[in-house]
Amino acid sequence: TAAAPHRSPSPPQDGSGVSAFINALAVAWPAAIVAVVTFFSVWSLLSLLAYHIFLIFTGMTTNEHLRGVYHGRKNENNLGWRGNWQRLCCHKRHVSRIGDLSELLSTEQVVNRARDLRAASIEASAAAAAAAAAAATTASRDEEEKLSTPQAAMRAPFKASIDSSSSPRPAPVAVDLLGDGRGSASSHGTG
């Protein structure tokens, strides 16, 4: 007797479209992933839009709403929903009370600070290289002293091959990025 050809099991045909949907997901699973990501993205954006429309209707900023500034008292900035929308869309903007922040640092100060940081980084790298060279010199001097005994001389070729596989690494260097004299955190957590 001949064996029946192998067929993959298919979902039951119930006529409601569920089986067609499952078959479509099996074939076009990347489209399903895109649909799920799109759903959650649109959901997030629509909820953000609804929250800001609520803020416009009530005449509050995000900060005022989250801190509960007008909880239990009248909001003097609330002109009603129509007045709030009109103020947002049709009125002239007021001048910011913050001021122009571009005057805090001139371009020349920024360039000079970057040059100073680069010079400090080069100096720190040179100091780390000098420290590594000094450590290597001390280690080779210690090794020469150990080779004075015959047993140590026999082990020296094996130890040299092991030591040459690991090269010394320079110590982490803290660079003062902010210019406040405190420095920045180095890789081992000190500043």
Side-chain angles (χ1 to χ4, degrees):
T1 63
H6 178 69
R7 293 173 143 188
S8 61
S10 62
Q13 300 290 331
D14 59 0
S16 66
V18 173
S19 62
F21 180 73
I22 292 172
N23 286 337
L25 284 180
V27 172
W29 61 269
I33 292 174
V34 169
V36 169
V37 169
T38 302
F39 171 78
F40 285 111
S41 298
V42 169
W43 182 274
S44 300
L45 291 173
L46 287 178
S47 63
L48 191 63
L49 175 68
Y51 176 68
H52 283 89
I53 289 173
F54 160 77
L55 290 176
I56 294 169
F57 269 86
T58 57
M60 285 191 284
T61 64
T62 305
N63 196 20
E64 290 170 343
H65 179 251
L66 293 177
R67 291 177 185 251
V69 173
Y70 299 113
H71 186 70
R73 65 184 189 126
K74 187 178 187 305
N75 178 358
E76 61 273 0
N77 295 316
N78 188 357
L79 304 174
W81 71 270
R82 186 175 290 156
N84 292 340
W85 279 99
Q86 189 176 17
R87 177 178 54 197
L88 176 72
C89 299
C90 304
H91 283 184
K92 183 179 175 184
R93 300 278 180 223
H94 296 286
V95 177
S96 175
R97 294 183 220 157
I98 295 175
D100 188 12
L101 298 178
S102 65
E103 296 176 2
L104 292 178
L105 287 176
S106 68
T107 306
E108 183 180 335
Q109 289 172 320
V110 172
V111 169
N112 288 339
R113 186 71 189 133
R115 189 178 327 126
D116 293 344
L117 288 174
R118 184 167 186 258
S121 175
I122 291 171
E123 289 173 11
S125 296
T137 303
T138 304
S140 67
R141 192 177 321 123
D142 292 344
E143 198 62 37
E144 287 174 8
E145 291 173 6
K146 290 179 185 176
L147 290 179
S148 61
T149 65
Q151 292 173 342
M154 293 174 65
R155 287 192 306 253
F158 299 108
K159 183 158 178 41
S161 66
I162 293 171
D163 289 343
S164 65
S165 64
S166 63
S167 60
R169 293 191 177 123
V173 178
V175 177
D176 184 14
L177 295 175
L178 302 175
D180 58 2
R182 294 186 299 170
S184 64
S186 65
S187 63
H188 52 74
T190 61

Coordinates of all heavy atoms in Angstrom, one line a residue, residues 62-137:
T62 N 0.7 71.9 30.5 CA 1.0 70.5 31.1 C 1.5 70.6 32.5 O 1.0 69.8 33.3 CB 2.0 69.8 30.2 OG1 1.6 69.8 28.8 CG2 2.2 68.4 30.6
N63 N 2.4 71.5 32.8 CA 2.9 71.6 34.1 C 1.9 72.0 35.1 O 1.8 71.4 36.2 CB 4.1 72.6 34.1 CG 4.9 72.6 35.3 OD1 5.0 71.6 36.0 ND2 5.7 73.6 35.6
E64 N 1.0 72.9 34.8 CA -0.1 73.3 35.7 C -1.0 72.2 36.0 O -1.5 72.0 37.1 CB -0.8 74.5 35.1 CG -0.1 75.8 35.0 CD -0.8 76.9 34.2 OE1 -1.7 76.6 33.4 OE2 -0.4 78.1 34.4
H65 N -1.3 71.4 34.9 CA -2.3 70.3 35.1 C -1.6 69.2 36.0 O -2.3 68.7 36.9 CB -2.7 69.7 33.8 CG -3.6 68.5 33.9 ND1 -3.2 67.3 33.6 CD2 -4.9 68.5 34.4 CE1 -4.2 66.4 33.9 NE2 -5.2 67.1 34.3
L66 N -0.4 68.8 35.7 CA 0.3 67.7 36.5 C 0.5 68.1 37.9 O 0.5 67.3 38.8 CB 1.6 67.3 35.8 CG 1.4 66.7 34.4 CD1 2.8 66.3 33.8 CD2 0.6 65.4 34.5
R67 N 0.8 69.4 38.2 CA 1.0 69.8 39.6 C -0.3 70.2 40.3 O -0.2 70.4 41.5 CB 2.0 71.0 39.6 CG 3.4 70.7 39.2 CD 4.2 71.9 39.1 NE 5.5 71.6 38.6 CZ 6.6 71.6 39.3 NH1 6.6 71.9 40.6 NH2 7.8 71.3 38.8
G68 N -1.4 70.2 39.6 CA -2.6 70.6 40.2 C -2.7 72.0 40.7 O -3.2 72.3 41.8
V69 N -2.2 72.9 39.9 CA -2.1 74.3 40.4 C -3.5 74.9 40.6 O -3.7 75.6 41.6 CB -1.3 75.1 39.3 CG1 -1.4 76.6 39.6 CG2 0.1 74.7 39.2
Y70 N -4.4 74.6 39.8 CA -5.8 75.2 39.9 C -6.8 74.2 40.5 O -8.0 74.4 40.4 CB -6.3 75.6 38.5 CG -5.4 76.7 37.9 CD1 -4.6 76.4 36.8 CD2 -5.2 77.9 38.5 CE1 -3.8 77.3 36.2 CE2 -4.4 78.9 37.9 CZ -3.7 78.6 36.8 OH -2.8 79.5 36.3
H71 N -6.3 73.2 41.2 CA -7.2 72.3 41.9 C -7.9 73.0 43.0 O -7.3 73.4 44.0 CB -6.5 71.1 42.4 CG -7.3 70.0 42.9 ND1 -8.2 69.3 42.1 CD2 -7.5 69.6 44.2 CE1 -8.8 68.4 42.9 NE2 -8.5 68.6 44.1
G72 N -9.2 73.1 42.9 CA -10.0 73.8 44.0 C -10.0 75.3 43.9 O -10.5 75.9 44.9
R73 N -9.5 75.9 42.9 CA -9.6 77.3 42.8 C -9.7 77.7 41.3 O -9.5 76.9 40.4 CB -8.4 78.0 43.4 CG -7.1 77.8 42.7 CD -5.9 78.4 43.5 NE -4.7 78.3 42.7 CZ -3.9 79.3 42.4 NH1 -4.3 80.5 42.8 NH2 -2.9 79.1 41.7
K74 N -10.1 78.9 41.0 CA -10.4 79.4 39.7 C -9.1 79.6 38.9 O -8.2 80.2 39.4 CB -11.2 80.7 39.7 CG -11.7 81.2 38.4 CD -12.5 82.5 38.5 CE -13.2 82.9 37.3 NZ -12.4 83.1 36.1
N75 N -9.2 79.2 37.6 CA -8.1 79.4 36.7 C -8.3 80.7 36.0 O -9.2 80.8 35.1 CB -8.0 78.2 35.8 CG -6.9 78.3 34.7 OD1 -6.2 79.3 34.7 ND2 -6.7 77.3 33.9
E76 N -7.5 81.7 36.3 CA -7.7 83.0 35.6 C -7.3 83.0 34.2 O -7.7 83.9 33.4 CB -7.0 84.1 36.4 CG -5.5 83.9 36.4 CD -5.0 83.1 37.6 OE1 -5.8 82.6 38.4 OE2 -3.8 82.9 37.7
N77 N -6.6 82.0 33.7 CA -6.2 81.9 32.3 C -7.3 81.2 31.4 O -7.2 81.1 30.2 CB -4.9 81.1 32.1 CG -3.8 81.9 32.8 OD1 -3.7 83.1 32.6 ND2 -3.0 81.2 33.5
N78 N -8.3 80.6 32.1 CA -9.3 79.9 31.3 C -10.4 80.9 30.8 O -11.1 81.5 31.6 CB -10.0 78.8 32.2 CG -10.9 77.9 31.4 OD1 -11.1 78.1 30.3 ND2 -11.5 76.9 32.1
L79 N -10.4 81.0 29.5 CA -11.4 81.9 28.9 C -12.6 81.2 28.3 O -13.4 81.7 27.5 CB -10.7 82.7 27.7 CG -9.5 83.5 28.1 CD1 -8.8 84.1 26.8 CD2 -9.8 84.6 29.1
G80 N -12.8 80.0 28.7 CA -13.8 79.1 28.1 C -13.3 78.4 26.9 O -12.2 78.8 26.4
W81 N -13.9 77.4 26.5 CA -13.3 76.6 25.4 C -13.1 77.4 24.1 O -12.1 77.3 23.5 CB -14.1 75.3 25.1 CG -15.5 75.5 24.5 CD1 -16.7 75.7 25.1 CD2 -15.7 75.5 23.1 NE1 -17.7 75.8 24.2 CE2 -17.1 75.7 23.0 CE3 -15.0 75.4 22.0 CZ2 -17.7 75.8 21.7 CZ3 -15.6 75.4 20.7 CH2 -17.0 75.6 20.6
R82 N -14.1 78.2 23.8 CA -14.0 79.0 22.5 C -12.9 80.1 22.7 O -12.1 80.3 21.8 CB -15.3 79.7 22.2 CG -15.3 80.4 20.9 CD -16.7 80.9 20.5 NE -17.5 79.8 20.2 CZ -18.9 79.9 20.2 NH1 -19.5 81.0 20.6 NH2 -19.6 78.8 19.9
G83 N -12.9 80.8 23.8 CA -11.8 81.8 24.1 C -10.4 81.2 24.1 O -9.5 81.8 23.6
N84 N -10.3 80.0 24.7 CA -9.0 79.4 24.7 C -8.5 79.0 23.3 O -7.3 79.2 23.0 CB -9.0 78.1 25.6 CG -9.2 78.4 27.0 OD1 -9.0 79.5 27.5 ND2 -9.7 77.4 27.8
W85 N -9.4 78.5 22.5 CA -9.0 78.2 21.1 C -8.7 79.4 20.3 O -7.7 79.5 19.5 CB -10.1 77.4 20.4 CG -10.0 75.9 20.7 CD1 -10.8 75.3 21.7 CD2 -9.2 74.9 20.2 NE1 -10.5 74.0 21.7 CE2 -9.5 73.7 20.9 CE3 -8.1 74.9 19.3 CZ2 -8.8 72.5 20.6 CZ3 -7.5 73.8 19.0 CH2 -7.8 72.6 19.6
Q86 N -9.5 80.5 20.5 CA -9.2 81.7 19.8 C -7.9 82.3 20.2 O -7.1 82.8 19.4 CB -10.4 82.7 20.1 CG -10.3 83.9 19.3 CD -11.5 84.8 19.5 OE1 -12.2 84.7 20.5 NE2 -11.8 85.7 18.6
R87 N -7.6 82.3 21.5 CA -6.3 82.8 22.0 C -5.1 82.0 21.4 O -4.1 82.6 21.0 CB -6.2 82.8 23.5 CG -4.9 83.3 24.1 CD -4.9 83.3 25.6 NE -5.2 82.0 26.1 CZ -5.6 81.8 27.4 NH1 -5.6 82.8 28.2 NH2 -5.9 80.6 27.8
L88 N -5.3 80.7 21.3 CA -4.2 79.8 20.8 C -4.0 80.1 19.3 O -2.9 80.2 18.8 CB -4.6 78.4 21.0 CG -3.6 77.4 20.4 CD1 -2.3 77.4 21.2 CD2 -4.2 76.0 20.4
C89 N -5.1 80.2 18.5 CA -5.0 80.2 17.1 C -4.9 81.6 16.5 O -4.3 81.8 15.4 CB -6.1 79.5 16.4 SG -6.2 77.7 16.9
C90 N -5.5 82.6 17.1 CA -5.7 83.9 16.4 C -5.0 85.1 17.1 O -4.8 86.1 16.5 CB -7.2 84.2 16.3 SG -8.1 83.0 15.5
H91 N -4.5 85.0 18.3 CA -3.9 86.1 19.0 C -2.4 86.1 18.7 O -1.8 85.1 18.5 CB -4.2 86.1 20.5 CG -5.6 86.5 20.8 ND1 -6.0 86.7 22.1 CD2 -6.6 86.9 20.0 CE1 -7.3 87.1 22.1 NE2 -7.7 87.2 20.8
K92 N -1.9 87.4 18.8 CA -0.4 87.6 18.7 C 0.3 86.9 19.9 O -0.2 87.0 21.0 CB -0.1 89.1 18.6 CG 1.3 89.4 18.4 CD 1.5 90.9 18.3 CE 3.0 91.2 18.2 NZ 3.2 92.6 18.3
R93 N 1.4 86.3 19.6 CA 2.2 85.7 20.6 C 2.9 86.7 21.5 O 3.4 87.7 21.0 CB 3.3 84.7 20.0 CG 2.7 83.7 19.2 CD 2.2 82.5 20.1 NE 1.7 81.5 19.2 CZ 0.6 80.8 19.5 NH1 -0.1 81.1 20.6 NH2 0.2 79.9 18.7
H94 N 3.0 86.4 22.8 CA 3.7 87.3 23.7 C 5.2 87.0 23.6 O 5.6 85.9 23.3 CB 3.2 87.1 25.1 CG 1.8 87.5 25.3 ND1 1.4 88.8 25.3 CD2 0.7 86.7 25.4 CE1 0.0 88.8 25.5 NE2 -0.4 87.6 25.5
V95 N 6.0 88.0 24.0 CA 7.4 87.8 24.0 C 7.8 86.9 25.2 O 7.3 87.1 26.3 CB 8.2 89.2 24.1 CG1 9.7 89.0 24.2 CG2 7.8 90.1 22.9
S96 N 8.7 86.0 25.0 CA 9.1 85.1 26.0 C 9.8 85.8 27.2 O 10.6 86.8 26.9 CB 10.0 84.0 25.5 OG 10.5 83.2 26.5
R97 N 9.6 85.4 28.4 CA 10.3 86.0 29.5 C 11.6 85.4 29.8 O 12.4 85.8 30.6 CB 9.4 85.8 30.8 CG 8.2 86.6 30.7 CD 7.4 86.5 32.0 NE 6.0 86.3 31.7 CZ 5.1 85.8 32.5 NH1 5.5 85.3 33.6 NH2 3.9 85.7 32.1
I98 N 12.0 84.3 29.0 CA 13.2 83.6 29.3 C 14.4 84.4 28.8 O 15.5 84.4 29.3 CB 13.2 82.2 28.6 CG1 12.1 81.4 29.3 CG2 14.5 81.5 28.7 CD1 11.9 80.0 28.7
G99 N 14.3 85.0 27.7 CA 15.4 85.8 27.1 C 16.2 85.0 26.1 O 15.9 83.8 25.9
D100 N 17.1 85.6 25.5 CA 17.9 85.0 24.4 C 19.1 84.2 25.1 O 20.0 84.8 25.7 CB 18.5 86.0 23.5 CG 19.1 85.4 22.2 OD1 19.0 84.2 22.0 OD2 19.8 86.2 21.5
L101 N 19.1 82.9 24.9 CA 20.1 82.1 25.5 C 21.3 82.0 24.7 O 22.4 81.5 25.1 CB 19.5 80.6 25.7 CG 18.3 80.6 26.7 CD1 17.8 79.1 26.8 CD2 18.7 81.1 28.1
S102 N 21.3 82.5 23.5 CA 22.5 82.4 22.6 C 23.6 83.3 23.1 O 24.8 83.2 22.7 CB 22.2 82.7 21.2 OG 21.7 84.1 21.1
E103 N 23.3 84.3 24.0 CA 24.3 85.2 24.5 C 25.1 84.6 25.7 O 26.0 85.2 26.1 CB 23.6 86.5 24.9 CG 23.0 87.2 23.8 CD 22.2 88.5 24.2 OE1 22.3 88.8 25.4 OE2 21.6 89.1 23.3
L104 N 24.7 83.4 26.1 CA 25.5 82.9 27.3 C 26.9 82.5 26.9 O 27.8 82.8 27.7 CB 24.7 81.6 27.8 CG 23.4 81.8 28.4 CD1 22.8 80.5 28.8 CD2 23.5 82.7 29.6
L105 N 27.1 81.9 25.8 CA 28.5 81.6 25.3 C 28.6 82.1 23.9 O 27.8 81.9 23.0 CB 28.7 80.1 25.3 CG 28.9 79.4 26.7 CD1 29.0 77.9 26.5 CD2 30.1 80.0 27.4
S106 N 29.7 82.8 23.6 CA 30.0 83.2 22.3 C 30.7 82.0 21.5 O 31.1 81.1 22.1 CB 31.0 84.4 22.3 OG 32.3 84.0 22.7
T107 N 30.7 82.1 20.2 CA 31.3 81.1 19.4 C 32.8 81.0 19.7 O 33.3 79.8 19.8 CB 31.1 81.5 17.9 OG1 29.8 81.7 17.6 CG2 31.7 80.4 17.0
E108 N 33.4 82.1 20.0 CA 34.9 82.0 20.3 C 35.1 81.3 21.6 O 36.0 80.5 21.8 CB 35.4 83.5 20.5 CG 36.9 83.5 20.8 CD 37.4 85.0 20.9 OE1 36.7 85.9 20.3 OE2 38.4 85.2 21.6
Q109 N 34.2 81.5 22.6 CA 34.3 80.7 23.9 C 34.1 79.2 23.7 O 34.9 78.4 24.3 CB 33.3 81.3 24.9 CG 33.6 82.6 25.4 CD 32.5 83.2 26.3 OE1 31.3 83.0 26.0 NE2 32.9 83.8 27.4
V110 N 33.2 78.9 22.9 CA 33.0 77.4 22.6 C 34.2 76.8 21.9 O 34.6 75.7 22.3 CB 31.7 77.2 21.8 CG1 31.5 75.8 21.3 CG2 30.5 77.7 22.5
V111 N 34.7 77.5 20.9 CA 35.9 77.0 20.2 C 37.1 76.9 21.1 O 37.8 75.9 21.1 CB 36.2 77.9 19.0 CG1 37.6 77.5 18.4 CG2 35.1 77.8 18.0
N112 N 37.3 77.9 22.0 CA 38.4 77.8 22.9 C 38.3 76.7 23.9 O 39.2 76.0 24.3 CB 38.6 79.2 23.7 CG 39.1 80.3 22.8 OD1 39.7 80.0 21.8 ND2 38.8 81.5 23.2
R113 N 37.1 76.5 24.4 CA 36.8 75.4 25.3 C 37.1 74.0 24.7 O 37.7 73.2 25.3 CB 35.4 75.5 25.9 CG 35.1 74.5 26.9 CD 35.8 74.9 28.2 NE 35.6 73.8 29.2 CZ 36.6 73.4 29.9 NH1 37.8 73.9 29.8 NH2 36.5 72.4 30.7
A114 N 36.7 73.9 23.4 CA 36.9 72.6 22.7 C 38.4 72.4 22.5 O 38.9 71.3 22.7 CB 36.2 72.6 21.4
R115 N 39.1 73.4 22.2 CA 40.6 73.3 22.0 C 41.3 72.9 23.4 O 42.1 72.1 23.4 CB 41.1 74.7 21.5 CG 42.6 74.6 21.1 CD 43.2 75.9 20.6 NE 42.2 76.7 19.8 CZ 41.9 78.0 20.1 NH1 42.6 78.6 21.1 NH2 41.0 78.6 19.4
D116 N 40.8 73.6 24.5 CA 41.4 73.2 25.8 C 41.1 71.8 26.2 O 42.0 71.1 26.7 CB 40.8 74.2 26.9 CG 41.3 75.6 26.7 OD1 42.2 75.8 25.9 OD2 40.7 76.5 27.3
L117 N 39.9 71.3 25.9 CA 39.6 69.9 26.2 C 40.4 69.0 25.4 O 40.8 67.9 25.9 CB 38.1 69.7 25.9 CG 37.1 70.3 27.0 CD1 35.7 70.1 26.5 CD2 37.4 69.7 28.3
R118 N 40.6 69.3 24.1 CA 41.4 68.4 23.2 C 42.9 68.4 23.8 O 43.5 67.3 23.8 CB 41.4 68.9 21.8 CG 42.2 68.0 20.8 CD 41.8 68.4 19.4 NE 42.4 67.4 18.5 CZ 43.6 67.6 17.8 NH1 44.2 68.8 17.9 NH2 44.1 66.7 17.1
A119 N 43.4 69.5 24.1 CA 44.8 69.6 24.7 C 44.9 68.7 26.0 O 45.8 68.0 26.2 CB 45.2 71.0 24.9
A120 N 43.9 68.9 26.8 CA 43.9 68.1 28.1 C 43.8 66.6 27.8 O 44.4 65.8 28.5 CB 42.7 68.5 29.0
S121 N 43.0 66.2 26.8 CA 42.9 64.8 26.5 C 44.2 64.3 25.9 O 44.6 63.2 26.3 CB 41.8 64.6 25.4 OG 41.8 63.3 25.0
I122 N 44.9 65.0 25.1 CA 46.2 64.6 24.6 C 47.2 64.5 25.7 O 48.0 63.5 25.8 CB 46.7 65.6 23.5 CG1 45.8 65.5 22.2 CG2 48.2 65.3 23.1 CD1 46.0 66.5 21.2
E123 N 47.3 65.5 26.6 CA 48.2 65.4 27.8 C 47.9 64.2 28.6 O 48.8 63.5 29.1 CB 48.1 66.7 28.6 CG 48.7 67.9 27.9 CD 48.4 69.2 28.7 OE1 47.9 69.1 29.9 OE2 48.6 70.2 28.2
A124 N 46.6 63.9 28.9 CA 46.2 62.7 29.7 C 46.6 61.4 29.0 O 47.1 60.5 29.7 CB 44.7 62.8 30.0
S125 N 46.5 61.4 27.7 CA 46.9 60.1 27.0 C 48.4 60.0 27.0 O 48.9 58.8 27.2 CB 46.5 60.2 25.5 OG 45.1 60.3 25.4
A126 N 49.2 61.0 26.9 CA 50.6 61.0 27.0 C 51.0 60.5 28.4 O 52.0 59.7 28.6 CB 51.3 62.3 26.7
A127 N 50.4 61.1 29.4 CA 50.7 60.7 30.8 C 50.4 59.2 31.0 O 51.2 58.5 31.7 CB 49.9 61.5 31.8
A128 N 49.3 58.7 30.5 CA 48.9 57.3 30.7 C 49.9 56.4 29.9 O 50.3 55.4 30.5 CB 47.5 57.0 30.1
A129 N 50.4 56.8 28.8 CA 51.4 56.0 28.0 C 52.7 56.0 28.8 O 53.4 55.0 28.9 CB 51.6 56.6 26.6
A130 N 53.1 57.1 29.4 CA 54.3 57.2 30.2 C 54.2 56.3 31.4 O 55.2 55.6 31.7 CB 54.7 58.6 30.6
A131 N 53.1 56.3 32.0 CA 52.9 55.4 33.2 C 52.9 54.0 32.8 O 53.5 53.1 33.5 CB 51.5 55.7 33.9
A132 N 52.4 53.6 31.7 CA 52.4 52.2 31.2 C 53.8 51.8 30.9 O 54.3 50.7 31.2 CB 51.5 52.0 30.0
A133 N 54.6 52.7 30.3 CA 56.0 52.4 29.9 C 56.8 52.2 31.2 O 57.7 51.3 31.3 CB 56.6 53.5 29.1
A134 N 56.6 53.1 32.2 CA 57.3 52.9 33.5 C 57.0 51.6 34.2 O 57.8 50.9 34.7 CB 57.0 54.1 34.4
A135 N 55.7 51.2 34.1 CA 55.3 49.9 34.7 C 55.9 48.8 34.0 O 56.4 47.8 34.6 CB 53.8 49.8 34.7
A136 N 56.0 48.9 32.7 CA 56.7 47.8 31.9 C 58.2 47.7 32.2 O 58.7 46.6 32.3 CB 56.5 48.0 30.4
T137 N 58.8 48.8 32.4 CA 60.2 48.9 32.7 C 60.5 48.2 34.1 O 61.4 47.4 34.3 CB 60.8 50.3 32.7 OG1 60.5 50.9 31.4 CG2 62.3 50.3 33.0

